[in-house]
Amino acid sequence: MEIDQTYSENEIFQLGLKPRKIMNVNYRVFEKEDKIYFFEELVKGEFRLYSVIGSNSFFLN
């Protein structure tokens, strides 16, 4: 996956990312292994990856 690229929700799930429930935010968070992926929804079902961090850095651990 690359920053600033768009992905469908199906592509995200096919890549093995699992959604993480975060309340009251305007973005979607997914995780896989030791990484946390942040996406903004552009249109219904289309997302732009804008950040990837290590899970140890994630503020909601």
Side-chain angles (χ1 to χ4, degrees), residues 16-55:
L17 280 74
K18 295 183 169 71
R20 185 135 183 204
K21 295 270 187 198
I22 308 296
M23 299 191 62
N24 301 323
V25 295
N26 294 336
Y27 53 86
R28 297 278 305 269
V29 179
F30 291 83
E31 61 184 323
K32 182 178 179 183
E33 298 168 0
D34 65 341
K35 300 284 186 204
I36 304 292
Y37 298 80
F38 295 88
F39 291 87
E40 70 173 331
E41 189 166 14
L42 302 174
V43 294
K44 184 75 173 166
E46 290 289 320
F47 300 88
R48 181 183 71 88
L49 177 63
Y50 70 87
S51 184
V52 179
I53 63 171
S55 61

